[in-house]
Amino acid sequence: MATVLMCRRLPGLSRATTAFSTTAKREAERGSSKSKKEKRDKPGAAKAGTESGATIQLLKPQDYRVLYNPAAYAKGRAGSQQHLDRDSSQALGDTFTGPGIPTASSQAVSPVRNALPKPKSQPVLLEQTIPATPYKEEAEKEKQEMHNSKEDPRTFQKGRPEYRSLSCDSAEPAQTLSAEEGDSILQSVAGCEGSPGALTDYFLKLSRLPAERRAALPSDPRFGALCHRAVTAIRLFSTPDLIQILKACVPLAVPASHPLLNACEAEFCRRAWDMGLEQLLLVADCWRCLDRSVPSYLGILFSYANLHWRNLTLPQFVQLLYIIGEGRRSPADLAQKVESTILKHLDAFTLEELGAICLGLFKSLSGISDHVMRRIADRVSLQMEDMSTYALVNVLKMLRYTRMDHPPLMRELGRVIPARIPATNIQGTMHITLTYSSLHFFDEGVLAAVAASLPSKVSYCRSKDAAKFLWSFGCLDYEPPNEEEFYSSLIKQLHAKLHEFSKFPEHLLTALLGLAFVRRFPEELIDFALREEFVQKTRGSKYELNKDLFTLGKSVEIECPSYRGSRLPPQLCQEFTEMVSSFAEREIYVRPEILEATSLLESMLGGPEYVKSHMILPHTRSSDLEVRLATDGHPIPFNFKDPVAAKNLKGMAGVSLTDDLMSQLIQGRAHNQSSTGVGNEAGIPGQERGDAAGTPCLGGALPAGATSQPEPQPGLWQPREVRLALQVSNRNHFCYASRRLLGLHCLKRRQLRLLGYVVVEIPFWEWFPLLKRTRSEKLSYLHYKVFCPALLTRA
C-alpha cells in the first residue's frame, strides 16, 4: 500500500507555507517574506531562493537496487568504515529530552497565516526523467554504502602486529583445502574415535575449505558427528587446542546456538582463571566474530583484567575496550582505571585506536570525565586530516554522548569534513550531522554539504537516519539551498520506511518534529503518528515520547487549519499539560532570572494581577511572562488567582463589571474591530475557541486573520488589548556561542504570533549582566521592553 502511494502521490515536499506552488503562489509567498526575514535575522541563515516547478524529478530510478541494511563510512585518508550505533536522545526545550519518529505523507498542510486555496487541477504525478543508473556506477555506490558490523569496527587491529595474537583473523585462508580432501576428512570421522589432537586438526583443515563448501558443512551429518566427538572430549583438549577449535568455528560459520559452542563456553568459563590475558582476549574476540552473547565469560574477563590491570599492554588495553563496547557492558569498577590508562597512553595511540576506544566507550554507555574527553578532542583537532572518517565519527559519537563543547575540534571539523561528505556513507554522514545538532553547533558549510549529497543517496537511509537528518536540520533551524529536493527526498524515504515505525515509533516522531520546526507538516505521516494505534505504540516505547506527541499534536492544531486527520484526544493533552506544568513549577519558574523579572514587572506595572509567569504554549516546554496592555499603553489586570482580587477593578470609572466583561478580561481575548463594525459574530467568553476548521486555540486566543467582536452594549467598556509574551531566554535556547535560535524556540515564537501575541525578547546576553546591577537599571530596562512605542504601533 505504501509503495502504491509513493508512485502515485507526492510526499509532503514543501514547508507548511508553500506546499506545491505555482508561480503565482511563489509571488504571493514573496509578499509575506517579512516575517520569514525576522525569523532568519541571525548569522549563517543564508538560503538560495531556487524556484521549484510542479514536476519533481526522481533521482532514484524504479529499478534502483538497494541493500536492506547498508551503511559504511567512506574511507578518509587512512580508510575505514563505520558501524551502526544505537539511538541517542535529543534535547528538546529547556530540559526535556526525547528522540524522534517515521511515516508516510503525500501532502503538506498549509498553516494558518498563509493558507492558499487549493488548485482544481489534477494531482501532480511523479515523472521519471532520469535514465537508469549504469550498473558499474550503481555497484560502486552500493559498495561504498555497504557496512559490516563485525569487521568495520576492527580496522584498528591492522595497525599493530601485536593484535594478531589477540584477535581472530576472519580473512580467507591463504591455502585452501580441496573439496576431495574435505570429503576424505569427514569420511574418516565415522570410522575412528580420534584423539583430541586429531579432532583439532580436522577442524583446522575443514576451516580452509572454499567458502561455498564451508557453507554446506553445518547441515552435513558427518560434520555434526565431528562436533559431537569434540563435545564428548571437551575436557581432554588442551587450552591452546580448544582455542584453535573455537577459531576454526569462525570461518566454518558455526551457528551461535550450536551445542559445540555451548560446550566451549562452559569449558572456557571453567578454565578462565588458569588462562593468560592474551588467551582470554583472543577467546572473547572469537565470541564476537561468532556473534554469540557470553555475559558470564565477559564478567570473568573483566574481573581478571581488573586484577592484572598494571600488566596490560597498550594493544591489550585497546582490545579490551573493543570487547567492552561490542559486549555493550560497562564494568563500573574499571571506569577510573580506563580513564587513567587513556591519559597514560594518549600520545602513543594511533588515530584508529583512538577511534576504537571512543566507539567502545560509546557502545557500552561508559561515562567519561570532561577532562579525559577534552584531552582526546585536543589531539584529534590537531591531527584530524590524518584520521579516517570512520575513526573521526567514532570520536564525534563520544563527544556527543558527553555533551561537551570543544570549539577547536568543531572548527577544524568544519574545515576538513565538507570535502569528505560526498564519499562518506549515509550512516557516517548522519552521525556527523547529529553531532552538530546535539551540541547546538551551527556550521552552514557542513550542513550545506550534507544537504547537497543526500538526495542521490537517500535510498540507503534507514528510518533512523532519515529521522536524524530531519531532526538535525530542524533543530538548527537550517533550510539548505536545495531545500525542496532535500526535504522531498527524505519525506519520500519516510514513506518507504513506514513499516519500520511500528517497531521504532521514536524515529517517526523525531522526523515529524524536525519538519515542524521548519514549518513542514506532511499530512499523511502526521495522521499516522496521531492515530490511536500509533499513540499506544509510543506508550510501550523504551523512550519517553509523550512530550514529542504533545508538541506535534498542538503544533498541527495551531499551524494547520486545513488538517483533517487524526488528533490527540483531549484527555491525553490534559495529561501531558499537567505533566509539563508540574515540571515547569519545579524547574523553570523558580529560575533566578525569571523570578527577578517577574518581581520587577509586578512592581513596575502595579501588582501580581498585571503579570503572569506561565507557559502560554505548554507543548513548547518553556515559560513566558505574559503582560497585557490597552492600545493607549496602559497595563490591563488579568491574572486573578481568586475572586477577591477582582475588587481592584471596581475603581475604574464608567465600567460596569458584568460577568461578560470579567470573563473577557480574565480570558484575555483580543478584539479586532472591523472597519464596518457589522457582521462579526459574538465572542464566546470563557471557552477555548476554534477557527473555521475547528482548530482550538490555546489560551482563548483567536487565530491569525480571524476576527471576533461582540455587539456594542450601552455602558459597557470595550477594551482592545495588546498581549505581550516576554521571553526570558537562556543559552540553551540558542546555537552555541551565537544568537541563532534553535528550531523549537523558533516554532514557539512563530506560534505565539499566530495566536495574536507580540513576542518580546529579553535575551540572556542583555538580562543576565543586568541581574548584578541596581534595581533602577533593571526597572528601566524592563520599562523600555514593555512600553516600547514600536510594539503598540506594530500590534
Side-chain angles (χ1 to χ4, degrees):
M1 179 67 178
T3 304
V4 173
L5 279 174
M6 285 178 57
C7 295
R8 295 179 59 87
R9 303 184 67 185
L10 282 170
L13 298 178
S14 63
R15 127 172 18 108
T17 58
T18 58
F20 278 108
S21 57
T22 62
T23 304
K25 286 184 182 179
R26 282 289 185 183
E27 293 299 325
E29 185 186 49
R30 290 194 190 103
S32 63
S33 62
K34 242 179 193 179
S35 60
K36 183 173 181 180
K37 185 177 184 302
E38 288 175 7
K39 179 183 86 121
R40 300 220 165 274
D41 191 19
K42 40 198 180 274
K47 177 180 87 172
T50 55
E51 298 289 333
S52 67
T55 299
I56 303 301
Q57 295 181 345
L58 273 180
L59 295 179
K60 171 178 165 286
Q62 299 289 356
D63 59 348
Y64 197 91
R65 185 164 60 90
V66 178
L67 299 176
Y68 170 68
N69 192 18
Y73 293 14
K75 315 211 170 182
R77 298 182 67 171
S80 62
Q81 293 182 321
Q82 170 66 20
H83 177 56
L84 315 178
D85 82 331
R86 293 172 302 236
D87 271 332
S88 61
S89 296
Q90 292 303 302
L92 231 185
D94 277 346
T95 50
F96 286 129
T97 59
I101 312 149
T103 130
S105 151
S106 69
Q107 179 180 352
V109 182
S110 299
V112 174
R113 72 186 169 93
N114 257 0
L116 295 174
K118 294 183 179 179
K120 296 181 180 180
S121 58
Q122 293 299 317
V124 181
L125 298 180
L126 288 174
E127 188 173 297
Q128 189 74 32
T129 59
I130 303 298
T133 307
Y135 175 78
K136 186 176 181 181
E137 181 182 337
E138 179 183 335
E140 186 62 30
K141 185 177 289 187
E142 286 188 359
K143 181 180 178 182
Q144 178 179 301
E145 294 292 332
M146 281 299 295
H147 170 67
N148 189 320
S149 61
K150 292 180 183 177
E151 291 302 318
D152 295 339
R154 302 163 63 83
T155 305
F156 73 94
Q157 295 172 348
K158 298 177 174 64
R160 297 181 192 268
E162 293 92 332
Y163 288 112
R164 293 173 189 165
S165 60
L166 301 174
S167 59
C168 178
D169 186 5
S170 58
E172 287 294 313
Q175 296 180 339
T176 59
L177 191 73
S178 67
E180 293 75 14
E181 291 177 284
D183 285 333
S184 176
I185 290 172
L186 292 173
Q187 201 63 40
S188 64
V189 171
C192 66
E193 291 295 327
S195 65
L199 293 175
T200 303
D201 189 54
Y202 290 163
F203 277 99
L204 291 176
K205 288 181 177 179
L206 291 174
S207 69
R208 290 168 36 219
L209 281 168
E212 63 277 5
R213 187 71 182 89
R214 293 199 307 268
L217 279 181
S219 60
D220 192 319
R222 296 173 297 176
F223 181 72
L226 175 61
C227 292
H228 180 72
R229 294 277 176 85
V231 170
T232 303
I234 198 78
R235 294 284 183 95
L236 304 178
F237 290 102
S238 67
T239 298
D241 281 349
L242 195 59
I243 292 175
Q244 290 300 313
I245 290 177
L246 189 64
K247 285 181 67 175
C249 287
V250 175
L252 290 170
V254 176
S257 59
H258 197 281
L260 175 60
L261 298 186
N262 295 340
C264 285
E265 181 186 352
E267 188 61 18
F268 279 121
C269 286
R270 191 181 69 83
R271 299 186 189 193
W273 291 102
D274 297 322
M275 295 164 62
L277 185 58
E278 190 173 274
Q279 291 178 316
L280 289 169
L281 288 170
L282 173 56
V283 170
D285 198 66
C286 291
W287 292 130
R288 172 62 193 126
C289 292
L290 289 163
D291 205 21
R292 180 180 170 96
S293 176
V294 286
S296 297
Y297 178 84
L298 291 182
I300 297 172
L301 168 62
F302 300 152
S303 296
Y304 188 103
N306 194 25
L307 290 176
H308 299 84
W309 194 263
R310 292 185 179 181
N311 300 325
L312 257 68
T313 64
L314 185 152
Q316 288 174 342
F317 171 74
V318 178
Q319 181 70 11
L320 178 64
L321 261 292
Y322 163 74
I323 295 298
I324 287 174
E326 296 305 302
R328 266 64 174 186
R329 291 190 57 192
S330 176
D333 53 349
L334 294 183
Q336 189 60 46
K337 293 179 179 179
V338 166
E339 290 202 2
S340 61
T341 306
I342 290 175
L343 294 176
K344 175 183 175 182
H345 297 297
L346 185 60
D347 294 330
F349 293 127
T350 67
L351 294 172
E352 296 304 309
E353 286 173 333
L354 213 50
I357 289 169
C358 286
L359 183 60
L361 293 171
F362 179 79
K363 284 185 173 181
S364 60
L365 302 179
S366 300
I368 187 173
S369 68
D370 283 354
H371 173 65
V372 174
M373 190 65 238
R374 197 169 297 279
R375 289 287 305 278
I376 293 174
D378 287 342
R379 185 179 169 200
V380 170
S381 63
L382 295 175
Q383 297 180 279
M384 191 177 294
E385 285 191 340
D386 299 320
M387 199 172 194
S388 72
T389 306
Y390 174 72
L392 176 57
V393 167
N394 290 338
V395 174
L396 295 181
K397 287 180 180 180
M398 200 59 197
L399 193 72
R400 192 174 83 219
Y401 181 73
T402 57
R403 300 197 67 80
M404 190 196 75
D405 61 297
H406 195 282
L409 184 146
M410 298 303 291
R411 283 195 294 268
E412 183 67 4
L413 186 65
R415 187 183 70 83
V416 170
I417 209 65
R420 295 192 189 185
I421 291 295
T424 302
N425 82 326
I426 280 293
Q427 287 188 32
T429 304
M430 180 273 286
H431 283 295
I432 292 167
T433 310
L434 189 56
T435 298
Y436 279 91
S437 65
S438 296
L439 301 180
H440 297 170
F441 203 98
F442 179 79
D443 188 311
E444 185 169 14
V446 174
L447 296 177
V450 170
S453 69
L454 189 137
S456 64
K457 302 191 292 184
V458 74
S459 56
Y460 291 99
C461 283
R462 303 164 299 170
S463 58
K464 172 183 175 179
D465 300 322
K468 298 301 184 184
F469 280 122
L470 290 170
W471 168 270
S472 297
F473 277 68
C475 177
L476 297 173
D477 188 38
Y478 179 65
E479 293 177 282
N482 64 331
E483 58 176 292
E484 293 304 330
E485 180 188 31
F486 174 79
Y487 282 109
S488 65
S489 65
L490 282 170
I491 292 173
K492 279 172 57 182
Q493 188 65 2
L494 293 181
H495 281 273
K497 297 295 180 182
L498 187 63
H499 61 281
E500 295 184 14
F501 297 141
S502 294
K503 185 175 181 181
F504 304 107
E506 64 274 10
H507 297 333
L508 180 57
L509 290 177
T510 295
L512 292 179
L513 284 180
L515 288 165
F517 292 163
V518 292
R519 293 176 294 172
R520 294 174 185 269
F521 298 89
E523 193 172 54
E524 292 176 8
L525 292 171
I526 291 170
D527 176 62
F528 184 91
L530 298 182
R531 290 177 192 169
E532 183 180 354
E533 314 90 86
F534 187 84
V535 171
Q536 289 303 318
K537 288 184 183 299
T538 66
R539 292 300 188 105
S541 171
K542 62 180 178 179
Y543 299 104
E544 169 52 61
L545 302 179
N546 292 339
K547 298 178 293 294
D548 293 351
L549 275 172
F550 189 34
T551 301
L552 177 65
K554 285 298 179 183
S555 294
V556 170
E557 286 186 12
I558 295 172
E559 300 203 51
C560 306
S562 64
Y563 175 71
R564 295 293 182 271
S566 303
R567 297 183 184 272
L568 290 177
Q571 64 272 20
L572 210 56
C573 291
Q574 180 63 31
E575 177 188 329
F576 294 162
T577 299
E578 292 173 358
M579 173 186 66
V580 174
S581 299
S582 174
F583 170 83
E585 289 173 0
R586 298 192 311 271
E587 303 290 339
I588 299 179
Y589 303 151
V590 296
R591 291 177 180 172
E593 67 272 19
I594 293 177
L595 289 174
E596 181 76 351
T598 305
S599 174
L600 290 168
L601 285 170
E602 289 175 352
S603 175
M604 181 178 76
L605 298 176
E609 63 267 27
Y610 292 91
V611 185
K612 187 172 184 178
S613 178
H614 67 133
M615 288 186 291
I616 298 173
L617 304 177
H619 64 278
T620 61
R621 315 167 201 179
S622 56
S623 68
D624 312 270
L625 293 177
E626 184 174 356
V627 172
R628 300 181 185 179
L629 304 176
T631 52
D632 61 0
H634 286 84
I636 297 174
F638 67 98
N639 183 26
F640 303 106
K641 298 181 179 178
D642 56 71
V644 177
K647 293 179 181 179
N648 294 329
L649 285 177
K650 291 186 177 180
M652 291 183 167
V655 176
S656 302
L657 288 178
T658 64
D659 291 341
D660 182 55
L661 174 58
M662 283 301 302
S663 179
Q664 291 177 26
L665 292 174
I666 295 173
Q667 292 297 323
R669 288 192 297 108
H671 298 283
N672 300 318
Q673 295 184 354
S674 69
S675 57
T676 63
V678 179
N680 291 323
E681 294 179 358
I684 308 175
Q687 297 181 10
E688 284 195 346
R689 187 173 168 79
D691 58 20
T695 304
C697 296
L698 305 185
L702 291 177
T707 60
S708 178
Q709 177 190 358
E711 291 291 332
Q713 299 177 21
L716 178 61
W717 177 46
Q718 297 291 328
R720 288 175 58 197
E721 299 179 341
V722 178
R723 289 173 299 164
L724 306 183
L726 283 75
Q727 308 297 300
V728 182
S729 63
N730 62 58
R731 288 176 176 82
N732 291 334
H733 297 178
F734 297 85
C735 292
Y736 180 82
S738 80
R739 298 180 180 183
R740 182 188 184 90
L741 274 173
L742 294 171
L744 176 65
H745 301 285
C746 289
L747 172 143
K748 174 186 176 179
R749 284 151 178 75
R750 185 172 75 238
Q751 292 179 2
L752 284 171
R753 293 186 183 102
L754 285 172
L755 293 176
Y757 285 88
V758 176
V759 177
V760 179
E761 292 289 348
I762 303 181
F764 71 89
W765 57 85
E766 294 177 354
W767 182 238
F768 281 33
L770 275 174
L771 293 177
K772 299 179 181 179
R773 307 297 289 270
T774 64
R775 175 180 173 85
S776 61
E777 287 176 295
K778 288 180 279 192
L779 284 170
S780 177
Y781 173 82
L782 292 175
H783 188 277
Y784 169 76
K785 287 289 185 179
V786 171
F787 295 106
C788 176
L791 291 180
L792 292 174
T793 302
R794 192 163 72 238

